[in-house]
Amino acid sequence: MSVTLRQISLREIQLELKEPFRISSGTATTRRIMLLELVDVDGTRAWSECVAGEIPNYTPETIDTCWLAITKWIAPALLETPIEHPSHVHGKLERNFRGHQMAKAAVEMGMWAVESHRQDKSLAEILGGTRTKVAAGVSLGIQDNPQALVEKATAAIARGYQKVKLKIMPGADVQFVGAVREALGKTAPLMADANNAYTLADIEVLEALDKFGLIMIEQPLAWDDIVRHAELQKKLVTPICLDESITSIDRAEDMLTLSAGRIINIKPARVGGFSASIAIHDLCKKNNVPVWCGGMLESGIGRGYNVALASLPNFRLPGDISPSDRYWARDIVTPEWTMDTDGLVTVPRDQPGIGTTVNVDLVDDLTQRHETLGG
Ligand code: OSB
Ligand code: MG
């Protein structure tokens, strides 16, 4: 059964976060989110989300570069072109077209959702996902002082989150993580994420963090580095988890070859979509390296894609898949994403696509710009 896209509509909505989210490279307050609506020649439709931020502080992409890449290159390459299966989209988009993974992923993942509707099977099922529930963690932004972070982390554990990720940067690291470890005790499931804030010259700080028994330290060094992470991993007991550096299956292979990390955070958008995510998942599974699903402060649409992906068997650690009310006063889907008191999010396995319904009227109200490609 092949898919042929007839139309791709792009919109930008703005959605205000309940509280600012600060990482070492910048602060998000109102998210500018690109949503896509894909329509195939038979009229099957699916919504998808492009997760790129407003400024290029995570990867080089932004919502504006994605808008350009989709309208100028990606949509023209796919519209009216029969595609045998969504797993073929990634290869087609990689050929002679460098980078722009988040832009490519927004369309590729949308095509998986179209396929899921065409087959009337859940997205989780067509991806090969086996779980009925996925474990959720929370990612806590950098706070003004250690006590504020302790309060947030304590509340997160009480709420049921199975993992608490503490964002760190120079000046908000050892004291902050130490205070949380002290308050929550030795067994609390804590990790830290530096978003590239350190270099090998900061070894003393990194060795101090190594003493806290963290599940992992995420992306301490440069966003595109593998080699120095390998050097650092030799000096740390704590597993390094790579996020920004893993942009493809090749980079995942490099990490394994060089022992540059022991865990991968898979964000499907960062690697160009679901096919690349599944390839990295399978490679890691074969090498007994756990993966988990990262987040990009998604709306309920992007969250549906993450939940489906996290249902694959080697997603063995809790994902950054918090419920809708962690981020938004009101999400753009009904029902919103919820988490039970054991920190589990239910995978919608009895309906196709993202597994929840888009509030189109609300999306219309929030829309700042709109462009339709194809007929
Ligand atoms: O490094 O994982 C990251 C958000 C924006 C950019 C980078 C990151 C994050 C998060 C958010 O940690 C996690 C979430 O969506 O809850
Ligand atoms: Mg990260």
Side-chain angles (χ1 to χ4, degrees):
M1 188 151 58
S2 79
V3 183
T4 308
L5 289 183
R6 177 166 64 78
Q7 192 177 77
I8 302 177
S9 299
L10 298 77
R11 331 176 162 227
E12 174 179 338
I13 63 162
Q14 291 187 9
L15 210 53
E16 198 184 334
L17 285 162
K18 273 186 169 173
E19 52 182 59
F21 185 74
R22 182 172 181 208
I23 69 175
S24 63
S25 53
T27 303
T29 47
T30 299
R31 289 276 286 115
R32 289 175 58 200
I33 300 174
M34 191 204 297
L35 299 178
L36 299 181
E37 203 179 3
L38 277 52
V39 189
D40 82 353
V41 287
D42 301 329
T44 308
R45 310 172 86 87
W47 287 88
S48 74
E49 175 167 344
C50 178
V51 305
E54 188 170 352
I55 53 168
N57 68 323
Y58 170 70
T59 68
E61 292 183 270
T62 70
I63 177 170
D64 300 300
T65 70
C66 288
W67 195 287
L68 179 78
I70 291 171
T71 52
K72 209 169 162 71
W73 301 298
I74 299 172
L78 292 173
L79 285 168
E80 302 298 341
T81 307
I83 301 283
E84 192 122 354
H85 187 267
S87 61
H88 297 189
V89 176
H90 182 66
K92 182 170 172 55
L93 293 179
E94 283 304 284
R95 211 168 304 129
N96 303 333
F97 183 5
R98 313 289 177 242
H100 298 279
Q101 289 90 339
M102 291 179 174
K104 291 172 178 172
V107 178
E108 194 251 20
M109 292 161 73
M111 290 186 75
W112 279 90
V114 169
E115 178 70 13
S116 142
H117 282 284
R118 285 168 62 87
Q119 291 192 24
D120 196 26
K121 288 182 180 159
S122 72
L123 199 46
E125 183 178 347
I126 69 163
L127 294 174
T130 48
R131 295 173 198 280
T132 56
K133 292 180 176 189
V134 297
V138 71
S139 174
L140 298 178
I142 293 164
Q143 304 296 312
D144 290 340
N145 53 68
Q147 193 48 40
L149 186 61
V150 166
E151 280 164 27
K152 292 231 179 293
T154 306
I157 293 290
R159 172 71 181 84
Y161 283 109
Q162 294 196 17
K163 185 182 79 182
V164 177
K165 166 162 131 178
L166 311 172
K167 291 287 187 179
I168 56 169
M169 66 176 189
D173 43 37
V174 180
Q175 259 199 317
F176 284 63
V177 176
V180 175
R181 175 55 86 207
E182 170 93 32
L184 294 183
K186 272 215 288 276
T187 58
L190 302 179
M191 62 169 290
D193 185 0
N195 292 104
N196 335 300
Y198 301 93
T199 70
L200 287 174
D202 299 308
I203 188 67
E204 279 177 28
V205 173
L206 296 162
E207 282 177 344
L209 291 169
D210 202 27
K211 302 279 189 292
F212 292 129
L214 300 173
I215 310 168
M216 68 192 101
I217 298 177
E218 186 175 340
Q219 198 74 32
L221 308 179
W223 67 279
D224 56 351
D225 175 78
I226 305 256
V227 172
R228 291 161 193 80
H229 279 104
E231 205 173 314
L232 178 61
Q233 182 67 90
K234 286 197 199 96
K235 298 179 178 158
L236 299 181
V237 175
T238 310
I240 289 176
C241 168
L242 293 185
D243 173 356
E244 283 90 329
S245 296
I246 306 299
T247 50
S248 64
I249 180 83
D250 290 351
R251 296 294 85 74
E253 277 174 15
D254 293 347
M255 183 196 95
L256 297 176
T257 304
L258 298 177
S259 302
R262 301 193 193 123
I263 297 173
I264 293 180
N265 166 342
I266 298 182
K267 295 182 187 174
R270 196 195 59 229
V271 300
F274 277 151
S275 302
S277 299
I278 295 167
I280 294 169
H281 164 275
D282 293 352
L283 174 75
C284 288
K285 187 162 189 275
K286 204 169 77 193
N287 287 276
N288 197 27
V289 165
V291 303
W292 55 282
C293 184
M296 287 293 291
L297 311 173
E298 286 88 351
S299 80
I301 295 176
R303 204 159 298 283
Y305 286 89
N306 288 348
V307 169
L309 181 66
S311 73
L312 269 71
N314 194 43
F315 280 82
R316 280 191 269 150
L317 293 161
D320 282 345
I321 300 178
S322 303
S324 297
D325 68 3
R326 147 93 180 118
Y327 310 90
W328 320 113
R330 186 173 168 203
D331 203 342
I332 57 171
V333 295
T334 305
E336 296 197 350
W337 294 95
T338 57
M339 177 181 83
D340 69 19
T341 51
D342 293 323
L344 296 170
V345 174
T346 298
V347 180
R349 299 197 65 104
D350 55 358
Q351 47 182 319
I354 59 169
T356 178
T357 304
V358 176
N359 299 334
V360 180
D361 289 345
L362 177 58
V363 168
D364 282 341
D365 285 347
L366 297 169
T367 296
Q368 308 286 320
R369 56 172 164 161
H370 197 177
E371 187 172 345
T372 297
L373 308 162

